[in-house]
Amino acid sequence: MRGYFGIGVEGISKPMNFGALFRSAHAFGASFVFTIGAAYSRNAADTTDAPANLPFYDFSDLDALRLPKGCALVGVEFRDDAAALPSFCHPRNAAYVLGPERGALSPGLVACCDHLVKIPTRLCVNLSVAGAIVMYD
């Protein structure tokens, strides 16, 4: 396997979504997990304690976000101008970021993204489910 990927969230508020997403990240072999403007606390959904087993970055806000050199930022967002996941060519080194529940990625974060990708569904799916689908793809 060549390259790496990480996955994170912006402004998430539901601890169970954190836990399920980070547990899935650990299972799918993510190289790191991260949050932007969110308070992470370990909970029962993260049975693998992912942040204790792979690098965890807790960025206070978008200005604090730092990714490795050569790492593409891919926003996962349900919007018309996003590439459909089945036809998306994943970057060799990427950090995927999902927005908050009942919301969207902030305009500032969208502007920072190298790519936007969407899961072609009729309506939005749960945040941790969306993350798992992207990691599986």
Side-chain angles (χ1 to χ4, degrees), residues 40-90:
Y40 175 80
S41 61
R42 188 176 186 289
N43 64 70
D46 183 8
T47 57
T48 68
D49 194 14
N53 291 293
L54 63 151
F56 169 55
Y57 302 97
D58 182 20
F59 302 109
S60 58
D61 56 33
L62 183 55
D63 291 335
L65 177 64
R66 298 291 180 268
L67 295 174
K69 185 175 181 173
C71 181
L73 184 59
V74 181
V76 180
E77 191 63 76
F78 194 66
R79 49 189 282 163
D80 292 337
D81 61 341
L85 187 60
S87 62
F88 181 66
C89 183
H90 295 273

Side-chain angles (χ1 to χ4, degrees), residues 19-34:
L21 180 68
F22 288 0
R23 180 183 66 208
S24 294
H26 193 197
F28 280 114
S31 298
F32 61 94
V33 293
F34 65 98

Side-chain angles (χ1 to χ4, degrees), residues 3-4 7 10 16-17 28 31 35 37 50 63-65 71-72 78 88 95 98 105 109 114-115 123 125 127 130-131:
Y4 62 83
I7 192 160
E10 179 189 34
M16 292 303 281
N17 279 333
F28 280 114
S31 298
T35 62
D63 291 335
L65 177 64
C71 181
F78 194 66
F88 181 66
L98 296 100
L105 295 173
L109 185 52
D114 298 295
H115 307 278
L123 49 98
V125 296
L127 179 131

Side-chain angles (χ1 to χ4, degrees), residues 107-131:
L109 185 52
V110 169
C112 292
C113 289
D114 298 295
H115 307 278
L116 292 175
V117 66
K118 65 182 171 189
I119 300 166
T121 56
R122 291 182 18 214
L123 49 98
C124 293
V125 296
N126 174 274
L127 179 131
S128 61
V129 170

